Amino acid sequence: MVHLREVVVSAENVSYEYPDGTLAVKDFSAEIRDGERIVLLGPNGCGKSTLIMLLSGLVKPKTGKIRIFGVEPNRNNAEFLRRNIGVVFQNPDDFLFNPTVLEELLYTPSQLNIPYDEAVELARTHARKFGIDYLLEKPPFRLSGGEKKKVSIVCALMLDPKILFLDEPTANVDGKTRRKIVEILQKRNSTLIVATHELDIVPKIADRIILIGMDKKVKADGSLEILEDHGLLESAGVI
């Protein structure tokens, strides 16, 4: 008998519109199980970034339901979710706002009442592990795009989240930074949900693809064999 791992994220007929009425996500449904490595693959503008916000509980859908660890995100379980979910956004500039990188790393632990000395040790340990310890005293706005991306990933990984969401983690970085980010993701054992339009990184980090087209519809949901169907990829707008 095959024992399926528990569903940790589920979306049921989820739709979302921006305040101006623009449709971002349309009737999206999916179940993501513990330990799965999922890529939301699609062209720019298909709604991947919004899906990351929805599936991580940061944005409430206009219609449908999102469940994380079996519950709908709300104020009562916000701290639990914050401890167990890490999110890396497409543009780090939108979310790096502290005076130094060290203070950036300490921000979430301080919000969760982790003792200061423990948080500092945690921050310095992860900074060394991911090769950003030389940046700790620098202000984030002085960093390169690749450095900002690595800092944002370390921020998300510090508390060893059970689910890690990443929006275009390898976009707009140099080759060395790109390889380092892929290496970090390959070593993760937790559930991984990555939005990207970059085909070449998909087989390196994923075991399942959810392919989304410009019409906001899921074109396919399955194994890496999807990458071999050029007609399907072309119809979705990724090649």
Side-chain angles (χ1 to χ4, degrees):
M1 181 183 294
V2 176
H3 294 281
L4 293 176
R5 291 169 290 183
E6 68 171 322
V7 174
V8 292
V9 179
S10 65
E12 182 182 337
N13 300 121
V14 167
S15 295
Y16 183 82
E17 291 179 0
Y18 295 118
D20 66 359
T22 301
L23 181 67
V25 174
K26 181 181 180 181
D27 295 328
F28 180 84
S29 295
E31 287 188 342
I32 298 168
R33 296 184 180 274
D34 184 37
E36 277 197 294
R37 305 170 68 83
I38 306 287
V39 161
L40 303 174
L41 179 64
N44 291 329
C46 75
K48 302 187 302 297
S49 295
T50 305
L51 264 175
I52 289 288
M53 300 288 279
L54 288 163
L55 295 174
S56 61
L58 294 175
V59 170
K60 187 175 181 179
K62 185 177 179 67
T63 60
K65 289 184 178 180
I66 298 287
R67 292 185 178 87
I68 306 172
F69 302 116
V71 298
E72 292 186 60
N74 57 48
R75 291 181 180 178
N76 296 328
N77 56 37
E79 183 172 326
F80 168 77
L81 294 179
R82 200 166 183 182
R83 283 181 175 270
N84 289 282
I85 289 174
V87 184
V88 178
F89 301 97
Q90 183 173 358
N91 186 358
D93 284 326
D94 292 341
F95 300 93
L96 297 177
F97 54 84
N98 283 286
T100 68
V101 168
L102 178 58
E103 288 170 277
E104 203 67 63
L105 296 179
L106 295 176
Y107 180 76
T108 297
S110 71
Q111 297 295 300
L112 297 174
N113 298 315
I114 293 174
Y116 180 77
D117 289 346
E118 181 182 334
V120 170
E121 179 60 29
L122 200 61
R124 293 191 181 281
T125 297
H126 278 74
R128 286 193 299 270
K129 182 177 180 181
F130 295 111
I132 63 165
D133 45 323
Y134 69 100
L135 299 174
L136 288 177
E137 302 308 321
K138 289 188 176 183
F141 74 89
R142 295 284 189 194
L143 306 184
S144 70
E147 288 170 337
K148 289 175 183 177
K149 191 82 80 168
K150 284 191 283 188
V151 168
S152 65
I153 290 174
V154 174
C155 285
L157 290 179
M158 266 186 47
L159 299 180
D160 195 23
K162 294 180 179 177
I163 308 174
L164 183 61
F165 295 87
L166 302 102
D167 186 9
E168 299 284 2
T170 56
N172 304 316
V173 297
D174 60 49
K176 183 177 180 181
T177 301
R178 202 168 188 267
R179 288 190 296 273
K180 180 63 176 177
I181 291 171
V182 168
E183 179 186 318
I184 290 170
L185 299 184
Q186 287 174 328
K187 291 180 179 178
R188 291 294 298 169
N189 292 320
S190 60
T191 306
L192 196 64
I193 302 168
V194 181
T196 188
H197 67 281
E198 298 181 328
L199 287 171
D200 62 310
I201 72 163
V202 177
K204 299 174 183 177
I205 61 174
D207 52 36
R208 177 178 156 203
I209 297 169
I210 299 177
L211 179 65
I212 305 164
M214 279 301 295
D215 57 2
K216 318 298 182 184
K217 293 181 179 179
V218 173
K219 301 294 186 182
D221 181 348
S223 70
L224 296 181
E225 290 180 2
I226 288 171
L227 296 177
E228 299 171 14
D229 190 335
H230 290 189
L232 181 61
L233 296 176
E234 188 172 358
S235 72
V238 293
I239 61 172

